[in-house]
Amino acid sequence: MRFFGESIVLAALIAAGLSQAQVLINELSFGHSGRLGAGDGKIPHFTIAGQPNQPELLSNKVILTPMDPGNQRSSIWSDSPLTRSTWVADVDFRASGPDRAGGNLNIWFVRRGREEVGTNSVYTAGKFDGLALVIDTHGGAGGMIRGFLNDGNVDYVSQPNVDKLAFGQCNYFYRNLGRPSQLKLRQTVSSFKVEIDGHLCFETDKVSLPAGYHFGITAATPDKPDSFEVFKLVVMSDSTVSGDNSQQYGSRHQQPDHNQAQQGQQNKNDGVGNTIPDRPAEVYKTSMEQFQDLHNRLQSVSHQITGVYNSVSKHHQMDEARHDEMKKAFDSLRHELAAIRQIGDLQSKIKELETEIHSMHHDMRQKLATHGETVEANLHQHHRHLTAALTDSIPGHGKLMFFFVGTQILLVAGYVVYKRRRANSPKKYL
């Protein structure tokens, strides 16, 4: 019966490992139950601070900065660090205020946040080790979400232009929406992703945040402030291995026994862990030996399931990347086909226009030819009528010649008569 019960436990563990369900980390979360705090002005497992006034803690939200007065700084920091290597953090916030008001909300994941950052924003923080996610009206736009990283060596407050240090960003209009906005930070084995209201803001595979850091939220406002309200911070993880026990971060861990050392060597050789060889039941003489063997086998199964899940996650991410690439390629092809279709329609319209122009040209030529023939006929008829009229109005050449000759004869005859009369007249002498 004992081995039957152990088989049930093993099957349950395998099923849980295969499902990789997200598990709430209660000591790093608040607001998930619908209420904040226990009515004493405090949030369990968190420290609240503010300058010059403390944030106002209500039953369902915490008001980090009120609408009046301005120049307020507030913070919420987790008392415990996150010890998981993969996790998801959800932050519900709301910002409201009059026109031309301002301020910034900062989501932190840093090593010593309460001591290194306190109530500062990314613009006034010094040397911090970790991540800062800033929501503000950067550059006069409607709103922007930007991510900043620091390894503890860069003094942000002394930087002349902090904006250039952002490694990821997206535009997001967050003011006066009338509803909370949901910001999600997701750390997987191969990438870091930021989502807002269910849409991707930015993602990178070059950022891997280690375990052992604290979550925090800070807000800062100028003279004319926005009111920043936080409804919840929920941190969940599907990782079965604590980051403190992982060699990835160089943390210290206890000295293992011989079997665990042998298993660790096997894990190092094959990457996901080898199956422990079967041994007869007579070998285990005591309950401690049986428990130790069961513990080692369960631990080996857990490592193998984690390795399989990591591989499946990587393949899933690769499939998503290929799907996105194919989708972009199809979209580009669709745009090109649409452009080709538009070119074909344009060519058809040009051909139709060319046909219409040819038809118009032919009609114009016919009309011009007809008009020319009509004008020519009219001119010919007019010239004929004019010639006839001139012929009828001008006298003939014979009559004209007779008139000139007759006139000359008359003149000569008159002259002769004159001469004769003058010759026959008596001469007068003085």
Side-chain angles (χ1 to χ4, degrees):
M1 294 297 294
R2 180 169 56 190
F3 286 105
F4 178 75
E6 293 170 355
S7 300
I8 295 177
V9 173
L10 179 60
L13 179 60
I14 293 175
L18 290 175
S19 64
Q20 292 292 328
Q22 296 284 349
V23 178
L24 175 69
I25 304 178
N26 187 66
E27 62 271 17
L28 299 178
S29 305
F30 64 83
H32 52 281
S33 61
R35 294 186 59 84
L36 276 71
D40 55 355
K42 298 180 180 179
I43 300 178
H45 312 295
F46 286 85
T47 300
I48 303 177
Q51 297 177 356
N53 302 320
Q54 284 287 108
E56 184 179 1
L57 181 62
L58 303 180
S59 61
N60 64 334
K61 65 182 178 181
V62 53
I63 303 176
L64 293 177
T65 57
M67 290 189 179
D68 185 68
N71 297 313
Q72 179 75 23
R73 294 181 180 274
S74 301
S75 66
I76 306 174
W77 285 101
S78 63
D79 297 332
S80 303
L82 175 64
T83 59
R84 302 296 178 182
S85 58
T86 59
W87 46 267
V88 177
D90 287 339
V91 180
D92 286 6
F93 71 93
R94 182 170 62 188
S96 55
D99 293 340
R100 301 181 183 277
N104 55 71
L105 184 70
N106 304 260
I107 314 297
W108 300 87
F109 185 65
V110 295
R111 183 177 294 277
R112 299 175 64 248
R114 193 166 52 186
E115 295 81 6
E116 294 178 345
V117 178
T119 59
N120 287 303
S121 67
V122 72
Y123 301 104
T124 59
K127 297 180 179 180
F128 63 90
D129 182 7
L131 167 75
L133 206 64
V134 183
I135 302 101
D136 62 0
T137 55
H138 168 67
M144 184 172 289
I145 301 174
R146 293 172 296 156
F148 299 86
L149 289 175
N150 195 359
D151 58 358
N153 295 321
V154 180
D155 189 3
Y156 267 55
V157 72
S158 63
Q159 292 296 313
N161 190 357
V162 175
D163 302 327
K164 292 184 177 180
L165 302 179
F167 71 92
Q169 64 185 28
C170 70
N171 294 322
Y172 178 68
F173 185 82
Y174 64 92
R175 298 183 69 250
N176 297 322
L177 296 179
R179 58 165 177 83
S181 300
Q182 186 180 51
L183 184 69
K184 180 174 292 187
L185 293 75
R186 188 186 301 273
Q187 174 70 71
T188 66
V189 294
S190 58
S191 67
F192 176 75
K193 181 188 302 184
V194 175
E195 301 174 358
I196 183 69
D197 291 339
H199 301 284
L200 178 65
C201 177
F202 63 86
E203 182 179 8
T204 177
D205 57 356
K206 297 179 174 58
V207 174
S208 180
L209 301 172
Y213 285 18
H214 293 256
F215 280 103
I217 304 174
T218 66
T221 56
D223 293 334
K224 195 172 184 181
D226 272 335
S227 175
F228 287 101
E229 304 168 325
V230 177
F231 294 84
K232 73 174 182 179
L233 167 62
V234 175
V235 181
M236 296 180 292
S237 176
D238 57 4
S239 176
T240 59
V241 180
S242 173
D244 292 338
N245 298 329
S246 175
Q247 295 181 0
Q248 178 183 358
Y249 309 108
S251 302
R252 293 178 299 175
H253 47 279
Q254 297 178 353
Q255 181 69 24
D257 58 18
H258 178 71
N259 292 333
Q260 291 175 340
Q262 183 178 5
Q263 179 185 350
Q265 183 65 29
Q266 292 173 349
N267 293 342
K268 184 176 180 181
N269 291 336
D270 61 9
V272 297
N274 295 327
T275 304
I276 298 177
D278 295 334
R279 304 176 69 181
E282 292 81 7
V283 175
Y284 307 105
K285 302 298 183 182
T286 63
S287 299
M288 179 58 67
E289 291 179 351
Q290 294 176 354
F291 174 77
Q292 201 169 40
D293 178 70
L294 177 61
H295 170 74
N296 293 339
R297 293 181 183 276
L298 292 178
Q299 194 173 42
S300 176
V301 170
S302 176
H303 287 315
Q304 291 179 359
I305 293 174
T306 302
V308 171
Y309 173 74
N310 293 339
S311 300
V312 171
S313 298
K314 290 181 179 179
H315 287 292
H316 179 65
Q317 292 174 358
M318 292 173 63
D319 292 339
E320 287 184 349
R322 293 193 185 97
H323 175 72
D324 293 337
E325 291 177 358
M326 292 294 295
K327 185 177 179 181
K328 292 179 181 178
F330 278 118
D331 291 339
S332 176
L333 181 60
R334 190 179 299 110
H335 290 312
E336 292 179 358
L337 290 176
I340 293 173
R341 191 179 300 110
Q342 291 178 355
I343 292 174
D345 296 339
L346 182 61
Q347 289 179 347
S348 300
K349 292 180 180 179
I350 291 174
K351 289 182 178 179
E352 292 177 358
L353 183 61
E354 184 179 1
T355 303
E356 292 180 0
I357 291 174
H358 282 303
S359 177
M360 291 175 60
H361 181 67
H362 180 69
D363 294 341
M364 290 178 65
R365 288 184 62 183
Q366 286 184 346
K367 290 181 179 180
L368 287 174
T370 303
H371 183 68
E373 292 176 355
T374 303
V375 170
E376 185 179 0
N378 292 335
L379 287 175
H380 182 69
Q381 186 177 2
H382 179 70
H383 290 165
R384 187 174 59 188
H385 292 166
L386 182 61
T387 303
L390 289 175
T391 303
D392 295 339
S393 62
I394 297 176
H397 290 85
K399 295 180 180 181
L400 187 61
M401 298 265 315
F402 177 76
F403 175 75
F404 283 134
V405 171
T407 303
Q408 293 295 328
I409 292 173
L410 288 176
L411 288 175
V412 171
Y415 180 75
V416 172
V417 172
Y418 171 73
K419 284 293 185 178
R420 286 180 179 181
R421 285 182 179 183
R422 188 173 181 179
N424 295 328
S425 64
K427 298 181 180 180
K428 294 181 179 181
Y429 299 98
L430 296 177

